Amino acid sequence: MEPLRSLILAAADNDVIRRVVATAPGSRQIVARFVAGDTVADALRVVQTLAADGRHATLDYLGEYTSDPELAERTVGTYLRLLDELAARKLAEHAEVSVKLSALTVNGDEVLASRNLGRICEAAADCGTTVTVDMEDHTTTDMTLRVVEKARRNRPWVGAVVQSYLRRTESDVAALAYEGSRVRLCKGAYAEPAAVAFVDDHEVDLSYVRCANALLEGGAYAMFATHDPRLVNVLRQRTRWYGRQRGSYEYQMLYGIRPDEQRRLAAEGETVRVYVPFGEQWYGYLMRRLAERPANLALFLRALVSRS
């Protein structure tokens, strides 16, 4: 399965394949399974649907690695408008936002990324919700953690993300595992070299559990991002072992993946947050979702050749 995953991730950076996928007659059918839609209104409709059965959302306006100052500013503006609408519709208690720093800045400018993140955090505070800063490929990890640390000086609730497939992550978690620190723990979905990332799935899982233990022991508000039923069972045992009450941690899953499990956990009283992407720049996101579960590839290919 690993060669197929590598092939899919390589396709995520291929402009020719991107154009073919974007113009194929059945592409929107499969995109709609994983992406809420193109607009803020589409994202808000999904939040309302999730809230109706006790689930929460974190909203991601798709886009990354920006080199255009106008596009970066439009991205910030979209987040500000989204937050205003969450407040106006009284949905802020059900949703926060997730942001990628590379979409908020130009060519990796850390000062601009920090300034634009601050604008989004101020708007989130005004409407009564929070912000989580997504982690991207390993070359951005140090910058991302620095920007998060700076943002937390004024907004200690700003969420950080760590990826268990990176060899460095246990060390990063040790610095983040303190009382009240909001940390999303995921496996990771970028193509990374073996020098910096575990290649074997079992090693990634073992790292995930070690990081989860550290977050729970340290008192962090852990956000467990996984669809793996084995890991969910382990996490439920570990939360009990550390005496953590429901509401002092949460489970996170992606929009369109295992919705029945999401509803089941929420019905049992667990906090469940769904990662809801929206926007027109869906291609890279979709490829990473297919790479995480290559079994979805057959469904995707059937949709691409469909004429309906």
Side-chain angles (χ1 to χ4, degrees):
M1 196 66 76
E2 185 59 33
L4 179 57
R5 180 177 183 275
S6 298
L7 184 63
I8 296 170
L9 287 172
D13 296 321
N14 188 298
D15 286 338
V16 174
I17 297 176
R18 178 184 58 79
R19 287 193 294 271
V20 170
V21 171
T23 58
S27 63
R28 298 303 294 186
Q29 174 186 341
I30 191 66
V31 172
R33 174 175 173 177
F34 300 105
V35 178
D38 291 345
T39 68
V40 166
D42 293 327
L44 294 170
R45 280 194 293 271
V46 170
V47 173
Q48 290 174 318
T49 299
L50 295 172
D53 58 21
R55 288 176 287 169
H56 303 266
T58 184
L59 300 169
D60 171 28
Y61 180 56
L62 293 169
E64 55 192 8
Y65 303 115
T66 304
S67 58
D68 180 355
E70 291 185 3
L71 180 56
E73 184 60 29
R74 284 201 302 272
T75 297
V76 175
T78 299
Y79 275 110
L80 299 181
R81 189 167 71 256
L82 172 64
L83 288 161
D84 283 345
E85 289 293 331
L86 286 173
R89 301 187 188 203
K90 302 190 186 311
L91 290 172
E93 66 179 295
H94 302 289
E96 64 143 31
V97 297
S98 287
V99 301
K100 288 181 174 60
L101 292 183
S102 71
L104 305 183
T105 189
V106 179
N107 297 325
D109 183 337
E110 185 172 335
V111 173
L112 180 59
S114 184
R115 182 163 67 245
N116 282 338
L117 175 64
R119 293 166 63 192
I120 295 171
C121 289
E122 182 178 1
D126 288 344
C127 82
T129 190
T130 52
V131 177
T132 296
V133 180
D134 283 333
M135 191 60 75
E136 303 179 66
D137 74 82
H138 81 278
T139 65
T140 68
T141 302
D142 285 325
M143 185 193 85
T144 301
L145 291 176
R146 284 195 301 269
V147 172
V148 168
E149 181 182 14
K150 181 178 179 181
R152 284 183 169 187
R153 294 171 192 168
N154 295 319
R155 312 287 186 191
W157 42 257
V158 172
V161 179
V162 292
Q163 303 170 108
S164 72
Y165 72 165
L166 293 183
R167 299 178 185 274
R168 62 174 287 169
T169 296
E170 287 183 68
S171 175
D172 292 332
V173 165
L176 292 166
Y178 56 85
E179 188 73 31
S181 174
R182 296 177 62 252
V183 182
R184 179 193 297 151
L185 173 61
C186 63
K187 290 186 180 183
Y190 290 83
E192 301 285 17
V196 301
F198 298 115
V199 176
D200 182 75
D201 287 343
H202 184 59
E203 287 186 296
V204 176
D205 288 350
L206 289 176
S207 172
Y208 193 105
V209 174
R210 290 193 296 268
C211 291
N213 285 337
L215 291 170
L216 291 168
E217 184 175 18
Y221 182 85
M223 301 178 283
F224 298 122
T226 181
H227 309 95
D228 187 334
R230 297 169 303 167
L231 274 182
V232 171
N233 286 334
V234 169
L235 292 169
R236 300 190 82 177
Q237 295 170 9
R238 302 316 294 161
T239 54
R240 289 194 293 269
W241 172 266
Y242 285 102
R244 298 295 292 269
Q245 300 297 312
R246 287 173 172 168
S248 67
Y249 61 89
E250 66 183 49
Y251 294 98
Q252 295 193 354
M253 296 186 184
L254 297 170
Y255 179 68
I257 299 182
R258 301 195 75 202
D260 289 342
E261 176 68 0
Q262 296 172 17
R263 284 187 283 265
R264 184 185 71 82
L265 288 170
E268 292 181 0
E270 300 286 5
T271 302
V272 176
R273 191 175 302 276
V274 182
Y275 190 96
V276 180
F278 72 101
E280 296 179 351
Q281 297 186 58
W282 48 261
Y283 176 72
Y285 175 85
L286 177 62
M287 289 298 106
R288 286 193 289 276
R289 299 295 75 79
L290 293 176
E292 287 175 340
R293 191 165 183 257
N296 286 329
L297 185 60
L299 176 66
F300 180 59
L301 292 175
R302 284 197 298 272
L304 283 182
V305 300
S306 170
R307 296 187 181 275
S308 59

